[in-house]
Amino acid sequence: MSPLKEVVKAEEGEIYDIELEEDLLRANEELAAKNRELLKKHNVMAIDVMGSIGSGKTTLIEKLVRALKKKYRIAVFKGDLTTTIDAELIERHGVEAVPINTGKECHLDANLVRKALQKINLEDINLLFIENVGNLICPADFPLGSEKRIVVISVTEGPYMIVKHPFIFMNADVVVINKKDLAQAMGVDIEKLKADAKEINPNIKVAVTNARTGEGVKEVIDALGL
Ligand code: MG
Ligand code: ZN
């Protein structure tokens, strides 16, 4: 077998991607700070829920809403490209859900969140979940103004999901390792995933869940201090 070819590496700025433009990132950060201020003024705790496609973000939010809706007045922002399926799933639980469609964009930004914040009465809520578009990469660069950030991964994404996407875990407060019931079938070692997360971010809290059954959801609530 011939040796592996040398890695082709993109230089910084070489990939044309509007998301990486510094001005844009700065503008986003300014808007995120405004969102944060607004949320604080109304005593709303906002929590980002990030994670890849199909990791179980919506299912987890549904379970969190169910467990917390007596204690908190909750709203959910639901980022998706074009659909409102998830927002409808969440609304069944009797909380307000605002769908945010990004079109072709693969992440939410502070401007879209600002617009969604205008659609709800912040006096009516004190807890807000913001589900990002399924993506482990650029949401890391776009703060939205939330107080805490959760990253949901599932064992079905394989054993290297965390080490391959370190940036999103660096600024997260909680990592949720979901679909624990499938770990053995997938040949994934949950303890190794936990260790990977802690190595990237020693302060990150880890919860292991089966969001479909609700197993471990209490751990997530504790990790968020809710
Ligand atoms: Mg979803
Ligand atoms: Zn993106």
Side-chain angles (χ1 to χ4, degrees), residues 101-139:
N101 283 347
T102 60
K104 286 182 178 170
E105 284 300 323
C106 47
H107 59 272
L108 291 179
D109 62 22
N111 182 48
L112 288 169
V113 168
R114 181 185 63 86
K115 283 160 91 175
L117 286 169
Q118 291 164 359
K119 295 214 179 287
I120 53 171
N121 186 350
L122 291 173
E123 290 300 316
D124 290 345
I125 65 161
N126 54 15
L127 181 61
L128 171 65
F129 292 106
I130 305 173
E131 183 183 337
N132 217 309
V133 178
N135 183 346
L136 280 179
I137 304 165
C138 40

Side-chain angles (χ1 to χ4, degrees), residues 1-44:
M1 213 161 54
S2 57
L4 197 64
K5 298 258 190 309
E6 198 188 344
V7 179
V8 175
K9 280 191 189 146
E11 298 295 330
E12 224 179 286
E14 192 183 12
I15 295 181
Y16 286 105
D17 186 344
I18 195 162
E19 289 161 15
L20 296 179
E21 266 192 44
E22 260 176 53
D23 290 356
L24 206 129
L25 291 178
R26 206 172 307 123
N28 183 76
E29 258 157 49
E30 280 164 20
L31 283 176
K34 282 190 185 154
N35 290 344
R36 189 170 294 117
E37 223 171 89
L38 183 69
L39 290 161
K40 203 175 159 198
K41 190 173 133 202
H42 292 272
N43 286 315
V44 178

Side-chain angles (χ1 to χ4, degrees), residues 7 49 60 62 73 88 111 131 138-139 142 216 225:
V7 179
V49 182
L60 177 68
E62 286 191 75
R73 290 165 289 137
E88 284 157 29
N111 182 48
E131 183 183 337
C138 40
F142 287 83

Side-chain angles (χ1 to χ4, degrees), residues 49-82:
V49 182
M50 306 174 291
S52 46
I53 298 169
S55 59
K57 298 180 293 301
T58 310
T59 308
L60 177 68
I61 291 173
E62 286 191 75
K63 290 298 192 302
L64 289 170
V65 164
R66 228 157 74 175
L68 294 168
K69 71 180 178 187
K70 285 211 179 87
K71 191 172 170 190
Y72 295 94
R73 290 165 289 137
I74 307 174
V76 179
F77 291 173
K78 181 57 205 84
D80 270 300
L81 301 189
T82 58

